[in-house]
Amino acid sequence: MSDAHSPLRLVRAGIDTYQQPVIYMHRDCHVCRSEGFTALTRVLARSGDRDVVATLNVVVDNHLELDVVALSEAAWTILQPGADAVAVFSHPEPPVSAPALRAKVFGQRLGETDFLALMRDTVSNRLSDMELTAFVTACAGDRLDNEETIALTKAMLAVGERIDWGGGAVLDKHCVGGLPGNRTTPIVVAIVAAAGHRIPKTSSRAITSPAGTADAMEVMAPVALDLEAMRSVVEREGGCIVWGGNVRLSPADDILIRIERPLDFDSDGQLVASVLSKKAAAGATHVVIDIPIGPTAKVRSFSAAAFLEARLIAAAQALSLKLSVLRTDGLQPVGFGIGAGS
């Protein structure tokens, strides 16, 4: 076996890299040298019947033995190596979506096939955080038109799970957010469920605020439910509030949110794709969207609200969702809660 394909022992680094798979390899490791790996190289690691494409961090001191590779928490979770596990390392194939990503960065329009390739590479970890950041930035502002927004929404929906609740109406709601103290979701979900309707509410964690709905709800009850637990709660109680990231209803969205949060921005097109892909994946048939308008809200003007409303309605029609939009007063905090949030 050549040096490049000699297995290296795996250890757990115990480092949280914010869900990004990272591996740590000594710069004098024979595999690192023979493969020409350098810092931030994308590396394919195979252990048993599992593999992961991870970003390489190069260790330059003696904290890591030459025949050992350390895995971040995200990489360790994906590979799930046993005791004394080893892995072989190589260069991965270029992402299928690389041409589409480059085209978007240079301002070209993308079609459904392009967005589907991008979302498939996103959920299979074929795109690095730098590449995902380039994609999020290239789509920011008004760089996604209506057709692209619909294509992105459908692509995000296609690469995740989808719940079928059978016949009848399945209700959902979402607030665009941006206002302190906005904790209407637990109240609305409780009222709707008590009235005998189904409302399987998935919520995101914070994107551009200190706390999202899922973060706030987690203070009162667990939100990191899996798909089976979510279905059980809805069948028993009529409704739920769960973090969407744990049920993989739109896993690409959760990855993009991870990128957007440090950047502290999102865009109308990505917002529409994020919200509606999750609603459709959760099996909703009827959705109400609340758009607060105010100087400190996410939507600052009536013209911006009208633009966003048109995008939401167009995408909902493409997904066969019945959608209503409410424009509400965003001039002051909602309720009497303490702390920021949306």
Side-chain angles (χ1 to χ4, degrees):
M1 181 178 290
S2 68
D3 283 351
H5 295 93
S6 298
L8 300 175
R9 186 162 53 90
L10 299 177
V11 298
R12 193 170 189 166
I15 298 175
D16 181 359
T17 51
Y18 199 30
Q19 302 175 27
Q20 179 187 19
V22 174
I23 63 173
Y24 303 87
M25 188 180 294
H26 198 282
R27 66 178 174 186
D28 293 327
C29 166
H30 62 275
V31 173
C32 191
R33 293 168 66 89
S34 62
E35 287 287 286
F37 291 155
T38 57
L40 301 185
T41 295
R42 297 288 282 170
V43 175
L44 173 63
R46 296 185 184 276
S47 180
D49 60 353
R50 291 178 174 267
D51 62 68
V52 62
V53 178
T55 299
L56 174 65
N57 281 5
V58 176
V59 178
V60 299
D61 57 21
N62 295 323
H63 283 89
L64 195 65
E65 298 176 39
L66 299 187
D67 63 344
V68 171
V69 170
L71 305 179
S72 71
E73 290 298 286
W76 186 271
T77 299
I78 293 171
L79 282 183
Q80 297 182 7
D84 301 320
V86 297
V88 293
F89 299 86
S90 60
H91 291 276
E93 292 292 325
V96 172
S97 63
L101 174 59
R102 183 176 178 84
K104 192 60 190 172
V105 168
F106 281 93
Q108 297 181 32
R109 293 185 71 260
L110 300 183
E112 288 191 15
T113 303
D114 298 319
F115 282 112
L116 184 57
L118 281 161
M119 293 304 99
R120 282 174 173 164
D121 280 345
T122 296
V123 298
S124 62
N125 198 48
R126 296 288 169 176
L127 296 174
S128 69
D129 276 17
M130 286 189 292
E131 290 167 319
L132 290 172
T133 300
F135 174 71
V136 167
T137 304
C139 294
D142 58 357
R143 297 182 183 93
L144 288 178
D145 61 25
N146 265 346
E147 289 74 20
E148 286 183 302
T149 298
I150 292 169
L152 175 58
T153 307
K154 289 181 175 180
M156 293 170 70
L157 183 60
V159 297
E161 302 285 344
R162 194 165 184 174
I163 302 179
D164 182 2
W165 298 100
V170 179
L171 313 184
D172 210 334
K173 58 85 63 180
H174 179 79
C175 178
V176 172
L179 293 180
N182 190 354
R183 296 295 170 238
T184 58
T185 291
I187 300 171
V188 171
V189 170
I191 291 172
V192 171
H197 301 288
R198 287 174 296 181
I199 181 164
K201 178 73 174 78
T202 61
S203 296
S204 65
R205 298 193 184 276
I207 303 175
T208 56
S209 67
T213 299
D215 301 309
M217 186 64 190
E218 198 167 36
V219 176
M220 299 179 283
V223 296
L225 306 183
D226 60 22
L227 207 56
E228 183 179 348
M230 176 184 173
R231 182 181 289 277
S232 175
V233 170
V234 174
E235 289 176 349
R236 185 175 68 249
E237 306 295 342
C240 68
I241 301 174
V242 303
W243 171 49
N246 215 50
V247 289
R248 290 190 61 81
L249 292 177
S250 182
D253 178 47
D254 296 296
I255 295 171
L256 295 181
I257 287 174
R258 172 168 63 81
I259 300 299
E260 291 168 353
R261 187 174 186 183
L263 295 174
D264 196 28
F265 66 70
D266 54 8
S267 66
D268 281 354
Q270 289 166 329
L271 185 153
V272 170
S274 171
V275 173
L276 296 189
S277 66
K278 273 197 164 63
K279 301 308 177 192
T285 60
H286 297 69
V287 181
V288 174
I289 304 291
D290 173 18
I291 304 180
I293 305 170
T296 61
K298 284 186 180 179
V299 179
R300 306 293 174 88
S301 67
F302 282 95
S303 60
F307 184 75
L308 177 58
E309 179 177 344
R311 287 206 165 196
L312 285 162
I313 290 173
Q317 289 175 342
L319 298 176
S320 299
L321 284 174
K322 297 185 183 299
L323 182 137
S324 295
V325 175
L326 300 176
R327 303 183 198 178
T328 55
D329 182 1
L331 294 178
Q332 59 186 350
V334 180
F336 300 96
I338 298 174
S342 62

